[in-house]
């Protein structure tokens, strides 16, 4: 009997295999797309993984900047507590000297009484080692002259004040030690993040490292530090146009201040100091005169104008009057991110001067380089 089986054409089996493989690949891609749409990849700590080494470095720099501002705040508190402790300890030393002198005077009085017929029981109690309990004994107080009683009350008051100040000094010393530990902790956090960022950058292949460097430079419009130093007087950075022009415009239709002149003489002086710092290096925890972090630069600049502003970007956000971006003038402080962890100084026409990040130098950047939290006029 003849067979009804069909003879397969050459190559048809291979085509079927290819079709099956293609279908499997499409299904796998669809599954991966579904996973990616549902959730970002995570690192072992449970945080979303950065999309590239450059993204991770940028994230580490941002985290280091937040830790730097916490370090600055803790350092400021430590210095304040140290000054307070020194003042209290000075008062305690002077108070102890005063008490000692009064005790010597009372001892002389007791010696005179002894030579004239015996020491008063009240004075004997006072000088025996626990004078604080003296006035609690009403029966003894009745045997003391009014002059002696007044002197003893002064001694007791001075001793009570001395005890209170010693207790205050002890409490401040505890806070001071806690603040020192906080400073050390934030310092370690900054150093750890910066070291991790350096390792990531150094591990990049040469081409990727060059691309990353170009990307970071693009935040400044491709300008190198000091590239604007040769602009004619009165010219706004990045434009080639003079002062008195109309407002600039940012993406999204936002406008920047139309005024190129600082609002006040002190703002002009601070702005001039910030411009003088162009090209100097970023260094976390530094506030000049040869290196700066972001809030260190703005504090240093206003100090040159004779104005004391707080050390941290968070505190600087509240160091003056808030103004909208459309009314910003040179010298105003531009604070960034929802946690106010970066600050710059407005330079006019949509530009700021700031100390950007480790490895960079003080420079101009666009005012909208980061999400703006607030603008403050000191």
């Amino acid at each position: 009997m003849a067979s009804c089986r069909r003879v397969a054409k050459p190559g048809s089996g291979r085509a079927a295999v290819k079709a099956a493989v293609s279908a499997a690949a499409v299904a796998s891609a669809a599954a991966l797309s579904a996973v990616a749409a549902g959730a970002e990849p995570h690192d072992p700590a449970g945080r979303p993984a950065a999309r590239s080494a450059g993204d991770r470095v940028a994230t580490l720099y941002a985290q280091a900047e937040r830790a730097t501002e916490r370090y600055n705040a803790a350092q400021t508190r430590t210095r304040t507590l140290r000054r307070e402790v020194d003042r209290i300890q000075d008062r305690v030393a002077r108070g102890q000297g005063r008490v000692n002198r009064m005790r010597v005077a009372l001892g002389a009085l007791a010696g005179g009484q002894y030579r004239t017929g015996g020491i008063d029981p009240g004075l004997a109690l006072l000088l025996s080692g626990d004078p604080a309990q003296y006035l609690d004994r009403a029966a003894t107080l009745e045997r003391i002259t009014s002059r002696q009683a007044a002197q003893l009350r002064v001694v007791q008051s001075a001793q009570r004040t001395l005890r209170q100040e010693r207790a205050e000094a002890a409490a401040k010393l505890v806070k001071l030690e806690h603040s020192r530990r906080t400073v050390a902790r934030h310092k370690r956090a900054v150093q750890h993040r910066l070291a991790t960022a350096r390792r990531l950058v150094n591990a990049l292949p040469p081409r990727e490292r060059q691309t990353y460097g170009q990307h970071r430079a693009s935040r400044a419009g491709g300008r190198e530090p000091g590239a604007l130093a040769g602009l004619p007087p009165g010219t706004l950075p990045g434009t080639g146009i003079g002062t008195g022009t109309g407002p600039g415009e940012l993406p999204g239709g936002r406008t920047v201040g139309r005024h190129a002149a600082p609002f006040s003489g002190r703002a002009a002086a601070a702005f001039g100091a910030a411009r003088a710092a162009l090209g100097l290096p970023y260094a976390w925890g530094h506030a000049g005169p040869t290196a700066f972090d972001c809030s260190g630069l703005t504090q240093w600049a206003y100090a040159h104008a004779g104005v004391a502003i707080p050390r941290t970007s968070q505190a600087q956000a509240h160091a003056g009057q808030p103004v909208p971006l459309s009314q910003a003038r040179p010298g105003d402080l531009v604070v960034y991110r929802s946690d106010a962890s970066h600050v710059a100084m407005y330079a006019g026409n949509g530009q700021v001067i700031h100390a950007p990040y480790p490895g960079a130098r003080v420079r101009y950047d666009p005012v909208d380089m980061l999400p703006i939290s607030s603008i403050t006029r000191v």
Side-chain angles (χ1 to χ4, degrees):
M1 179 179 290
S3 173
C4 296
R5 288 179 298 173
R6 181 180 298 175
V7 179
K9 296 180 180 179
S12 61
R14 289 193 299 272
V17 171
K18 288 181 180 179
V21 169
S22 298
V26 170
S28 299
L32 288 173
S33 299
V35 171
E40 294 181 15
H42 282 67
D43 63 16
R47 295 182 296 271
R51 289 170 296 178
S52 68
D55 290 336
R56 291 198 295 273
V57 171
T59 298
L60 286 164
Y61 278 153
Q63 292 173 348
E65 190 162 41
R66 294 183 180 100
T68 296
E69 291 306 299
R70 289 192 289 268
Y71 168 86
N72 291 336
Q75 190 78 292
T76 299
R77 176 169 171 76
T78 297
R79 293 193 185 104
T80 300
L81 286 170
R82 181 72 265 175
R83 288 193 296 268
E84 291 176 358
V85 167
D86 289 343
R87 284 196 297 267
I88 294 170
Q89 289 179 333
D90 182 62
R91 289 202 307 268
V92 167
R94 286 186 279 108
Q96 184 63 61
R98 181 168 174 254
V99 167
N100 290 342
R101 289 191 298 272
M102 288 188 291
R103 287 176 63 85
V104 168
L106 287 174
L109 176 62
Q113 286 185 339
Y114 177 79
R115 288 190 297 272
T116 59
I119 188 169
D120 183 272
L123 282 176
L125 174 63
L126 174 66
L127 299 174
S128 66
D130 193 5
Q133 297 181 358
Y134 179 75
L135 293 180
D136 293 335
R137 299 174 181 256
T140 305
L141 182 60
E142 292 175 357
R143 294 193 294 268
I144 303 177
T145 66
S146 59
R147 180 169 176 268
Q148 290 172 324
Q151 290 176 331
L152 293 174
R153 288 190 185 96
V154 170
V155 173
Q156 186 189 43
S157 175
Q159 290 177 323
R160 183 167 56 248
T161 300
L162 199 58
R163 288 194 299 270
Q164 291 171 348
E165 289 180 341
R166 281 175 173 157
E168 184 181 0
K172 292 285 186 183
L173 284 170
V174 170
K175 292 180 180 179
L176 178 60
E177 182 58 30
H178 174 74
S179 185
R180 284 173 174 163
R181 289 196 297 268
T182 301
V183 167
R185 185 173 71 252
H186 292 316
K187 182 176 182 178
R188 288 193 299 271
V190 173
Q191 292 172 331
H192 171 71
R193 284 167 172 81
L194 293 182
T196 303
R198 282 193 295 270
R199 285 196 299 271
L200 282 172
V201 171
N202 292 336
L204 289 174
R207 182 173 296 179
E208 289 185 26
R209 191 182 307 174
Q210 181 180 6
T211 301
Y212 169 75
Q214 292 171 347
H215 170 71
R216 297 299 289 184
S218 69
R219 278 183 52 182
R223 296 189 299 273
E224 292 299 322
L228 304 178
L231 288 177
T235 301
L236 297 176
T239 65
I241 57 179
T243 58
T245 60
E249 186 169 325
L250 300 177
R254 293 183 299 165
T255 58
V256 295
R258 67 176 67 244
H259 299 286
F263 182 77
S264 64
R266 61 186 184 181
F271 179 50
R275 289 189 66 179
L278 285 168
L280 293 176
Y282 178 101
W284 71 271
H286 286 239
T290 58
F292 306 89
D293 59 24
C294 67
S295 57
L297 173 64
T298 48
Q299 186 192 46
W300 176 86
Y302 265 98
H304 272 257
V307 180
I309 63 174
R311 178 62 177 90
T312 66
S313 56
Q314 291 86 356
Q316 289 179 13
H318 306 286
Q321 174 188 358
V323 295
L325 179 60
S326 60
Q327 296 179 19
R329 291 193 181 190
D332 292 345
L333 302 179
V334 184
V335 182
Y336 293 95
R337 304 191 186 105
S338 59
D339 59 357
S341 57
H342 188 73
V343 63
M345 181 175 290
Y346 192 64
N349 201 50
Q351 301 286 314
V352 295
I353 297 175
H354 70 139
Y357 51 82
R361 294 178 179 271
V362 177
R363 70 190 192 193
Y364 289 100
D365 266 332
V367 68
D368 60 343
M369 60 181 176
L370 294 169
I372 296 174
S373 171
S374 64
I375 300 174
T376 300
R377 179 163 296 155
V378 178

